[in-house]
Structures are given as C-alpha cells and as structure tokens.
Amino acid sequence: MSVQERKQRERAERERLIVATARELAEQQGWDAVTTRRLAERIEYSQPVLYSHFRGKREIIGAVALEGAAEMAVAVRAATSAANSPRERVAALARAYLDFAARNPAVYDALFQLDGGLAYAQEDTPEPLKDAFAALLESLGEVAGDSVHPGLFTEVFWASLHGLATLTRAGRLLPEDAAQRVELLVDRLAVA
C-alpha cells in the first residue's frame, strides 16, 4: 500500500469516526449538544482536524443525513421484499418508515428537519437521498392509480408518513393508535 493510499484510508476512517460520534452524541443528547469542540474532545483530535473534513456542523448533519438515507432505503426494501401483495408492501413500507423514524430520531432530524446543506428534489440531489425516495416509489408507484403520477403519489404518501412520525414523536398523537393509523393510511390512500 502506498503512502497516499494509507493517508486516504486514514482520512476516510477519521471521517467515519466524526460522523458516527456526531450521530451518537445527537441521539443521546440532541443536536444542540453536537459542537466541533465536543466532537474533537470525544474523538481525541483537534478542532482543525475536524475542519479539515467538514466546514462545520451543517456539513456533519448532512453527512449523518446521507448515511441515514442509505439505512432507511435498506430498511424499507427489506420490509417490503417479504410482502406478497401491493397492499402488504405498502403497509410494510409504512411500518418500516415509522419504525426507522422512532428508532433514529437524531438521524431523522438530520434527514428532514435540520439544514445539512443538501439539495432535495433537484438534479444535484445526492444519490443516497434519491435512492431513499426510490425505495418508497418502488412500492408506492404500483398503487398510485392510473390517473396519478407515481412520483407525486409517493410524495403525498411520504408527507403523510412524515406527519405521523413527527406528531407521534412530539406526543401529539396517542401511541396506542399507531397501528390503526397505518392501516387507515394504507386502506384510504393506497388501495390497489
């Protein structure tokens, strides 16, 4: 291995460590607790080393969001792959999405609530974000109906899931009714 390859590998490892530490800190204490000073202390590197990887917290949030988008796409695809009908796939997708949001609140915030400097729904949208949307579209497109654009239907269904995730987490919805909400959403919006 050349010196340059070793340095690139070490740089990538430091970057993964920064992102993992930021994510862990955010999940434990919230995003307000994530500062470059605290990250530097936790990973035992100087702040200038952090700044050599990320210009600031915004870019770190963006990196966590991209990682989370890839994880969400995997979770949705895994859940929907076992379903036998379009309705079952949509219900599995909804449950997987809401479960991901509940299990990873800081990542979910990085994806959909905080400014990570990422472009959404544009040509320069990063590939992990496009793939996460594609994971939703794969199941929702088949139930959109003949007169509805599959992408538009996916956006509306996704917005409904986001609303459920956000309102549930904020304590605005009773948690014991979560399964009924999913069934109602699937039955009313995604009938195939």
Side-chain angles (χ1 to χ4, degrees), residues 96-176:
Y97 182 97
L98 294 171
D99 183 55
F100 180 87
R103 283 183 300 112
N104 305 284
V107 173
Y108 193 81
D109 285 349
L111 267 165
F112 302 121
Q113 304 287 86
L114 301 173
D115 179 10
L118 303 173
Y120 286 80
Q122 298 175 22
E123 293 222 6
D124 61 341
T125 297
E127 201 53 45
L129 298 178
K130 289 180 181 179
D131 189 52
F133 185 79
L136 300 176
L137 181 63
E138 290 162 10
S139 293
L140 294 169
E142 68 182 322
V143 298
D146 295 334
S147 62
V148 178
H149 186 279
L152 184 61
F153 179 78
T154 300
E155 289 172 349
V156 170
F157 198 90
W158 170 31
S160 299
L161 290 174
H162 176 70
L164 289 174
T166 303
L167 292 170
T168 299
R169 186 165 142 209
R172 303 295 197 273
L173 301 175
L174 295 172
E176 59 267 19

Side-chain angles (χ1 to χ4, degrees), residues 36 54-64 114-118:
T36 55
F54 299 99
R55 286 184 284 188
K57 183 175 175 177
R58 181 178 186 221
E59 284 189 5
I60 294 169
I61 290 169
V64 169
L114 301 173
D115 179 10
L118 303 173

Side-chain angles (χ1 to χ4, degrees), residues 36 39-41 43-52:
T36 55
L39 286 174
E41 288 171 5
I43 65 172
E44 299 178 343
Y45 284 104
S46 67
Q47 284 182 287
V49 170
L50 262 81
Y51 286 117
S52 74

Side-chain angles (χ1 to χ4, degrees), residues 74-109:
V74 167
V76 165
R77 286 187 175 111
T80 59
S81 69
N84 295 318
S85 70
R87 188 199 181 286
E88 285 179 22
R89 273 187 290 285
V90 172
L93 175 151
R95 286 189 298 273
Y97 182 97
L98 294 171
D99 183 55
F100 180 87
R103 283 183 300 112
N104 305 284
V107 173
Y108 193 81
D109 285 349

